[in-house]
Amino acid sequence: MLIHADANAFNKLLEGKDTFIVDFFATWCGPCKMLGAVLEKVAPEIPYDILKIDIDENAKLAEEYEVMVVPTLLFVKDGEIIHRESGFFSKDKFRALVQAHMQ
């Protein structure tokens, strides 16, 4: 499920040792919009929440996690960041990333 979130929601899930994916994006970013469409299509197929975090509204959090490029996805398993992927990619690559890092 796609969830528009902020730093509080992100930190709460990290503390809870949850497994989820974070999409750092910006509303003005073309590749972010393209990846957003991919995530919307694939989200119902995966058992993990995808937190969408706007870097302009959460600049401190983006800086803390060294998000230099948008979109940037963080794969979080049991409260630990296990993989980072930046830029646009296809549905097939996203599915492969989920399979490789989250299962």
Side-chain angles (χ1 to χ4, degrees):
M1 176 167 56
L2 289 174
I3 302 169
H4 285 272
D6 60 11
N8 291 333
F10 175 76
N11 289 327
K12 186 176 179 180
L13 287 174
L14 272 183
E15 290 169 7
K17 305 291 186 203
D18 289 344
T19 298
F20 57 98
I21 299 165
V22 182
D23 173 22
F24 282 99
F25 75 99
T27 57
W28 45 263
C29 165
C32 296
K33 292 174 186 175
M34 292 167 42
L35 183 60
V38 167
L39 298 179
E40 283 181 28
K41 290 178 183 171
V42 179
E45 302 172 14
I46 63 171
Y48 310 106
D49 287 337
I50 301 172
L51 298 184
K52 296 193 60 68
I53 298 183
D54 186 328
I55 63 162
D56 293 323
E57 295 175 5
N58 297 278
K60 186 175 178 183
L61 184 67
E63 183 180 326
E64 181 180 341
Y65 285 92
E66 300 176 352
V67 175
M68 303 295 172
V69 175
V70 286
T72 291
L73 296 186
L74 301 181
F75 292 78
V76 181
K77 188 171 185 178
D78 301 324
E80 304 258 344
I81 297 169
I82 57 167
H83 185 70
R84 171 187 296 257
E85 192 81 25
S86 296
F88 171 76
F89 41 85
S90 68
K91 291 183 286 188
D92 290 339
K93 182 172 180 182
F94 178 67
R95 287 183 187 112
L97 289 168
V98 169
Q99 193 168 34
H101 300 290
M102 302 296 279
Q103 298 178 2

